[in-house]
Amino acid sequence: MKEISLHILDIVQNSIRAKATEISIEIEEAEVNNLYLVRISDNGNGISKEMLKNVTDPYVTSRTRRKMGLGLPLLKYHAELTGGAIEIHSEEEKGTMVEARFSLNHIDRQPLGDIVGVIVILIAANPGLNFSYRHRTEKGDYSFSSQEVREYLEVENFSDRELQKDLSIMLHENLEDIGASGLRMKEKV
């Protein structure tokens, strides 16, 4: 995975498979602490204590179709490459929290990438789930909630292409306003 947004997409897919109805994505950039933090939390099925012990081993997976799970091991690898680490807290039937810490200014820290596209595709493809996204930098704080936007716009889902385009523009402009680093540049439409 070449971008942090793709790691986020992968971890959120785990949350969806765990039957989460609420999924939170948080990113914090703190130059003063040289910290780039990514936290994904859900209210899904959680991970058993036994599985949690080995969840970052690439040869441990709960999937039955393939014998390898690379999402968490790759996230761990990329975080550790920058001097960071990951933490995973989970409780069965209560949910899971995955937190990855990267060194903000490390040359090997991947760019954020297309987080806007990831957020829009997640909310469009999963109309029954509530997603929240929060991004903090030293310039500001931006929060987005799919549930709040659905209620405000009085829509049940985000399947309309024009609505997806408008959401993409709104998300991108707000992230640019707070100086989100490593954001993939908006394509001309």
Side-chain angles (χ1 to χ4, degrees):
M1 289 185 221
K2 295 182 179 182
E3 301 175 344
I4 290 174
S5 61
L6 296 177
H7 285 293
I8 292 170
L9 179 61
D10 183 69
I11 302 306
V12 169
Q13 289 299 327
N14 292 342
S15 297
I16 292 168
R17 279 191 295 280
K19 301 186 181 350
T21 58
E22 304 275 341
I23 300 171
S24 169
I25 302 164
E26 298 175 65
I27 297 175
E28 181 179 341
E29 301 180 44
E31 288 180 37
V32 71
N33 298 333
N34 191 29
L35 175 68
Y36 194 95
L37 179 98
V38 175
R39 182 181 300 122
I40 299 137
S41 306
D42 69 52
N43 67 345
N45 293 335
I47 303 169
S48 71
K49 288 181 182 180
E50 191 61 38
M51 177 70 93
L52 194 57
K53 292 177 191 175
N54 300 308
V55 78
T56 59
D57 180 337
Y59 298 104
V60 173
T61 183
S62 61
R63 292 184 178 187
T64 56
R65 292 185 143 179
R66 62 179 177 178
K67 300 296 180 199
M68 293 180 76
L70 294 177
L72 288 169
L74 278 175
L75 179 62
K76 178 183 178 190
Y77 170 77
H78 284 114
E80 289 176 349
L81 199 59
T82 72
I86 70 166
E87 286 185 38
I88 304 164
H89 301 280
S90 188
E91 193 173 332
E92 288 185 278
E93 305 308 320
K94 294 201 176 178
T96 301
M97 187 274 299
V98 175
E99 184 175 278
R101 291 180 308 282
F102 301 83
S103 295
L104 177 65
N105 67 4
H106 198 283
I107 193 167
D108 289 323
R109 181 183 57 85
Q110 300 166 304
L112 177 56
D114 189 15
I115 191 65
V116 170
V118 166
I119 299 297
V120 171
I121 195 89
L122 284 170
I123 64 174
N126 300 285
L129 304 182
N130 293 319
F131 291 93
S132 63
Y133 175 69
R134 183 174 184 186
H135 198 121
R136 288 183 297 274
T137 69
E138 291 173 0
K139 281 182 71 178
D141 190 334
Y142 174 66
S143 294
F144 171 86
S145 163
S146 63
Q147 181 176 350
E148 288 176 9
V149 173
R150 272 195 307 270
E151 289 171 2
Y152 180 78
L153 295 177
E154 298 178 349
V155 297
E156 290 183 30
N157 61 55
F158 296 97
S159 61
D160 181 77
R161 294 290 296 151
E162 284 302 308
L163 177 56
Q164 291 173 18
K165 182 179 168 183
D166 291 343
L167 285 172
S168 293
I169 292 168
M170 178 194 73
L171 286 162
H172 203 279
E173 287 176 352
N174 281 289
L175 291 172
E176 280 183 334
D177 285 348
I178 65 165
S181 68
L183 187 62
R184 187 180 296 168
M185 296 306 294
K186 182 171 52 176
E187 296 175 16
K188 300 286 183 197
V189 182

